[in-house]
Structure formats: C-alpha cells, structure tokens
Amino acid sequence: MALHVGAGLTVLVVAFACFAFGWIGGGDAKLVAATTLWLGFGMMLPYLVYASLLGGALTLILLAARRWPLPERLRRVAWIDRLHDSKSGVPYGIALAAAGLLVYSDSIIFQHFVA
C-alpha cells in the first residue's frame, strides 16, 4: 500500500508543478494522481503513456474540428459550443479517464478481486 501512496504522491508533485506552470488544469492534476494511487508504480508508466497518446489524439481532433465553423444546431448546445471555442482548453480528463479504464484490468487491485 505504501508503494501506491508513493506513486500517487510522486505524480501529484509533478502534476502540480505542471499546473503551476499553467500546462494542465488543477482537476487534471488531481485526477492523474488519484488514478496513479489506485494503479501503483507497476501500472504507472502504461497509464501515463496511454494518457499521453489519448490526450494527444484528443487535442489533434479538437484542433482540426475548431478550424471549421460549428453548425447552428450544435452551437445551441452549450457544452459543444464551449468545446469548439478556440479560447477554451482541451478537456484532458477524458483522456485520463480512458487511459485509466484501459489499464485498470491489469492492475494489482483488479487482479486481487477477480482471482
């Protein structure tokens, strides 16, 4: 259990440094640390790699979509209009959650309860 806490704290320190520089949001920093707490050091690297790849793909998709005008019907939906706004950031929590789901079945906690 101490190793899981250590993994979570390690990621929390790095994530909050990234937050302090304005690179990521505070919620994303907490989410990545909390997920790493559950996964531990053993699954930390695969989780972070998946999160990076999925976050990069999400960013590229949003940048491409933001180049085109939003249809009027979609503009009336507040969250889609906000997502399409080039002044808003990328909701990286989506990538973090998806990465967590991808690696969770290989985690020690999941294996413990399945076995």
Side-chain angles (χ1 to χ4, degrees):
M1 191 159 85
L3 290 175
H4 283 251
V5 172
L9 286 174
T10 300
V11 171
L12 184 66
V13 167
V14 173
F16 268 103
C18 293
F19 169 71
F21 286 113
W23 298 338
I24 63 172
D28 296 335
K30 292 182 284 188
L31 179 59
V32 72
T35 307
T36 305
L37 174 68
W38 279 93
L39 296 173
F41 280 113
M43 296 305 298
M44 183 171 70
L45 183 60
Y47 168 64
L48 295 175
V49 168
Y50 276 130
S52 298
L53 293 173
L54 292 170
L58 179 63
T59 301
L60 292 175
I61 290 167
L62 277 177
L63 288 175
R66 287 174 178 172
R67 296 181 72 192
W68 299 96
L70 195 61
E72 188 59 39
R73 186 178 345 156
L74 294 177
R75 190 174 298 240
R76 289 187 219 133
V77 181
W79 69 270
I80 294 177
D81 190 44
R82 212 172 27 251
L83 191 62
H84 190 265
D85 185 10
S86 62
K87 295 175 187 141
S88 67
V90 175
Y92 214 81
I94 296 169
L96 295 173
L101 290 173
L102 285 172
V103 299
Y104 183 67
S105 63
D106 294 328
S107 70
I108 293 172
I109 293 173
F110 183 82
Q111 296 299 322
H112 173 75
F113 288 111
V114 170

